[in-house]
Amino acid sequence: MSLSVGVRAQASDPLLQDSFRVGSEGGALCQAQSATGDPAARTMFDRAWTLVCRDAARPVGQVYALRQGSADPDTGLLDRLNASRKVAVECSAAGSATLPQIGAALIRNCTGSLGAYRIVTVKRGKTLYAVQGYAAYASALDLGLRSVMAGRIVPGKVDIATVGNNDTGFARLQAATLDPQIVMAEGYRRNASGNYAEAAEFFDSLTDRLARDPDAHRLTPAERTNRAHEYLVNRGLQLSNLGLFDQADAAFAKARAVATGDAVQLRLRRNFEAMHHINQRDLQGALAILDRPLTGSGNGLEQGDEVVTLTPEVAAEMSSGVSQARALGVRQDTVLTPVERAAIIDAQAQQLRGTILRLSGQPGPAREVLGKALASAVAIRDGRVTSITRLRAQLLGEIGLTFEAEGNFGQAESQLDQSVALLGAQYPETVALNGARARLGAFLVRRGRSEDALQVYRGIMASALGNRATLTGMANQLQPYFALLARDIPQRPELAADLFTASQMLVRPGAADTLEQLSRELSAGDGEAARLFRQSVSLSRDIERGRIALAQLRQAAETDATLGQQVAQAQAEVDQLATDQANTLAALAAYPQYRAVSPQVLTLAEMQATLKPGEGYFKLAQLGDALYALWIDGAGATGYRLAAGAGDVAQKVAALRETISIDVNGAQTTYALDVPMARSLYLDLFGPVEPRLAAVRHLIFEPDGAMLQLPVNLLIAGQKGVDAYQARVAQGGDEFDFRGIEWLGRDHAVSTALSARAFRDARAAAPSNAAQSYIGFGDNAPLAGPRLTASTRGVLADAGADDCGWSPMQWNRPIPATELREAAQAIGGQGSELVTGAAFTDEAVTGRRDLDSFRILHFATHGLVTPPHPGCPARPALLTSFASDKASDGLLQFGEIFDLRLNADLVVLSACDTAGAAGVETTRAAGLSGGGGALDGLVRAFIGAGSRSVIASHWPAPEDYHATERLMAGLFAAAPDQPVAEALRQAQVKLMDDPETSHPFYWSGFAIIGDGARPLIARR
């Protein structure tokens, strides 16, 4: 729950107080940040802004305004710019030019270690405006200059190279680049607006940023204590908003141990802890916190000279209604009395109290409390504190809902309309405004005014698409919209397009973003553009990894003064990487395809055009406990809400997985599959579209929720086989003989899609032009001791060391290279190769420079994905051989895989649970943002390395009856040009028809992530 209030007084020029978005087409590619924390800028210029753009790890330019007298406006300017830039450049003489909406200007073209550089100056009256930066970002520089000169955000197009990083990556860039005093403010704002993953980036960087902020060392002990406390309570709220309640509890406990007596801090902690309890539906617990007297020496308000100035962090938090596009760097320039400060924060507490009363079914008492809170907020400075606009709007909305609860629908709508109008006037097209719109839309749905509600919700979608935002933070608020669409689609099939658009804007695996990046790289072929693109992506990851190492060094240097030189060297290395990346992006700007931002979502028509005859696309979308389904084929599309809730589906998935593979007393155990449940889950998902599903041969399945953990091919498409099986077992037949069951995967080849756009982009990518067909890795060399026979290709249950390491016995169960030899022989063609035994080390894999010469890579080894102990992080890896004379650690790890250079059509991971997740620590250590769920482990790593598709497993790959070996042999027996999904289906059918391997444990676990319609063995 991200309620907040504000305290920023009305400024005469909001642009001069806020940072602003540069360019309005395709989302916020660049931001101009007020350079309030740059001493050089403060000293040499009246006003200064730093320009930050997506994918560039350092600022790409600066904009300045300098009041001039009668002297030559150029006098000393270049010296000022050199001092502010801190890097020398050589510039040509100034040349005259006329720029759009600017007019006469002087332009200097410069060169130096920064590459091609550009300086533009314009004289307007007694003010000299200047902008400097990378020449490749000229469009952003000029647009930023125009906005500063106009005193408003000037719309326009930014024509720069971008590799397409997601918003979380951009937030991480900003967190590392912005003035340290602004970082907390941005964490507040993103948290309050529902962008919790982005908020995490700002909060996670805060400690390191403050540690190296020169101003931080001048803080008093009390000020440092208060900042530490403020970080903790905000971190706690952010974790709570993400649903990580145990971790939030720990953060709040640490905050309570901080000895702060500051009145603002105590009030913030009270409010945020109450929100934490509301997030958990613990209304009584929240009320108890709000009723608890404030403790500590700060219960009385501190004041000096009768005025108190809020810190920038507190002021910006309370201005959370400001859009991300406009609000970077909000400052508090107006002093408030202690009474005003207390009234604002306490009004928020009353808002929480009123919300709790309303949710508890007490609309009358709730409205009384809310009304008093609104009156208190409006009374402050006669309502001229503009940053409490969101608080006022939230109060109006809550009051409207109390009227609705009492049946006064006219008053309810009036209050909700006022809430929308208030935010629309102050903060147009923001997350806050869309939240108020969603509240109004839900009211209209409840009143049966479907057309009015659709108009409101379509406005939200248009706003989010225009700002390249997601709906993740608003998912619960949008449930009425999804329900409305699903209800009306049978009578109005055209509404399926609305459902498809909205569903694409929900959270998705990080692997989807990685696949889209790979597709952009492949779209340029093998030339210089593709090389530059991949180099830029690699540099971005190197910079992130360098920053993590630098933060760790700085932390260690606080207690070890001898590390100062290493800190300086690490900082220099990060700076050099940032310069290299900027130069790479500048070179990439010469290629038009990298100056275009791909659309965030596909239209329904575009998705239909992507499909081939005989294909159907099935997409799931989870919102709270509701699951919505979309079916798309050549004949059209439809959508519906599943009769089963997300919790019911999750229980069925868990029950099925427990019959397939479960650890019982340290042994991997399989039980007879719950056949009726597999049939029931099929009907839950596909019942409404069963005739349309029966008409296609290739099912493309985009899962969500619990279905990310289960291959859909083991669901049962017909009742006849279920009845026959139950009758046979009732008469004493073998319950493990599942022959005759009409599995979905018997008649349907299945591909798993990461997202609609990722699937479309991957399908459009050119196939690999690698000269060699196949390379296989496996049969690791065992360590000293007995060589054991493996029953699966997974982790030895509960055999890891106490420090989360793997048991040495893992290496004494090598997987024989039989399936690799059979695959190489079956594929034939030019250049098949096997790497086995002592030669199969992680160093041997990472050290090869020819892996991009193979179309298919095949790993037959143990997958170490499931942590060895509960509480250990997920650090997915493939087991390799050790090498006595080298540094090989016997593990091909997530980050190492990402660094490989592949050009593969397919990677086959014939190992345990390789469709599993990577933990956040592992993802961050590899220099990545986002993700962390199912399919974001080894699958994402190999896609990032350059594989168009991956075959991965959902559970331990079985060795009994040589099941995995036989499955892979059947796969590689594919005919030339046969689709890989069809080849896998045929191999699975052979195991289905064998009584020993008819259990889904033996044949169902492997899934194709990517486009299964691509041929396994392409004709040359």
Side-chain angles (χ1 to χ4, degrees), residues 5 76-77 135 181 301 427 470 875 884 921 1014:
V5 296
L77 175 64
Q181 294 185 3
L301 297 171
Y427 306 123
T470 67
R875 296 178 296 195
S884 58
E921 291 180 3
R1014 286 180 175 268

Side-chain angles (χ1 to χ4, degrees), residues 573-775:
E573 290 173 354
V574 170
D575 291 343
Q576 184 58 52
L577 286 169
T579 299
D580 294 343
Q581 185 205 46
N583 290 329
T584 300
L585 285 168
L588 194 62
Y591 299 90
Q593 66 266 41
Y594 291 115
R595 298 200 304 268
V597 180
S598 300
Q600 184 179 4
V601 301
L602 299 182
T603 66
L604 182 58
E606 288 171 330
M607 189 69 240
Q608 284 183 282
T610 299
L611 298 177
K612 299 177 180 180
E615 290 186 332
Y617 194 96
F618 185 85
K619 176 179 175 60
L620 280 178
Q622 180 173 334
L623 287 86
D625 192 49
L627 277 168
Y628 295 89
L630 273 150
W631 173 269
I632 307 170
D633 58 25
T638 190
Y640 50 93
R641 178 175 177 172
L642 271 62
D648 294 333
V649 169
Q651 289 179 1
K652 292 180 180 181
V653 168
L656 287 172
R657 283 189 62 99
E658 287 179 359
T659 66
I660 292 168
S661 179
I662 188 172
D663 182 355
V664 177
N665 297 325
Q668 206 71 35
T669 304
T670 299
Y671 295 101
L673 187 78
D674 190 332
V675 168
M677 187 166 293
R679 173 63 177 161
S680 172
L681 187 53
Y682 169 88
L683 293 173
D684 290 338
L685 269 63
F686 298 105
V689 291
E690 192 168 21
R692 299 179 74 159
L693 173 61
V696 303
R697 294 285 295 172
H698 181 202
L699 171 65
I700 303 152
F701 181 58
E702 183 185 335
D704 197 5
M707 287 305 300
L708 285 161
Q709 305 170 41
L710 191 75
V712 74
N713 60 2
L714 62 72
L715 302 184
I716 300 176
Q719 185 63 36
K720 182 179 178 181
V722 174
D723 295 339
Y725 169 81
Q726 291 181 308
R728 187 170 64 248
V729 171
Q731 296 174 3
D734 184 359
E735 63 178 352
F736 281 85
D737 184 354
F738 295 97
R739 289 177 296 172
I741 295 290
E742 300 167 69
W743 308 109
L744 176 61
R746 171 173 285 277
D747 296 321
H748 293 83
V750 179
S751 297
T752 301
L754 298 168
S755 75
R757 183 179 139 198
F759 180 80
R760 190 279 306 269
D761 290 350
R763 172 159 283 189
S768 171
N769 60 0
Q772 296 173 277
S773 300
Y774 173 91
I775 185 169

Side-chain angles (χ1 to χ4, degrees), residues 811-829:
W811 281 263
N812 284 2
R813 305 182 305 144
I815 304 303
T818 310
E819 78 176 60
L820 299 176
R821 289 192 292 270
E822 291 177 349
Q825 183 177 5
I827 288 179

